[in-house]
Amino acid sequence: MLRAGGKPSPDAVHTIDGRMAGNPTKRLTREQALRAITEEGIMACPYCRPDTDLRVL
């Protein structure tokens, strides 16, 4: 998974092969991606749907 956007607030979590990620991106572990989406309130990309891969619906 990737977290797109610069600091201090990333704009979305994307799948590795998601075309919307752009630059800069930071590779996340599964646990970090889950935390970003479920606890930190960072949006899951509605196009590449990392929440589906993570089974967060």
Side-chain angles (χ1 to χ4, degrees), residues 17 43 53:
D17 59 348
M43 168 179 102
D53 289 346

Side-chain angles (χ1 to χ4, degrees), residues 8 12 15-16 26-27 29 32 36-38 40-41 44 47 56-57:
T15 61
I16 296 271
K26 175 185 175 190
R27 190 175 290 247
T29 65
Q32 289 171 319
I37 293 170
T38 61
E40 297 174 13
Y47 302 104
V56 177
L57 299 175

Side-chain angles (χ1 to χ4, degrees), residues 6-41:
K7 292 185 179 190
S9 59
D11 63 353
V13 174
H14 299 271
T15 61
I16 296 271
D17 59 348
R19 303 288 184 241
M20 303 296 288
N23 286 325
T25 59
K26 175 185 175 190
R27 190 175 290 247
L28 301 175
T29 65
R30 182 180 194 284
E31 290 76 23
Q32 289 171 319
L34 280 169
R35 190 175 325 115
I37 293 170
T38 61
E39 298 175 17
E40 297 174 13

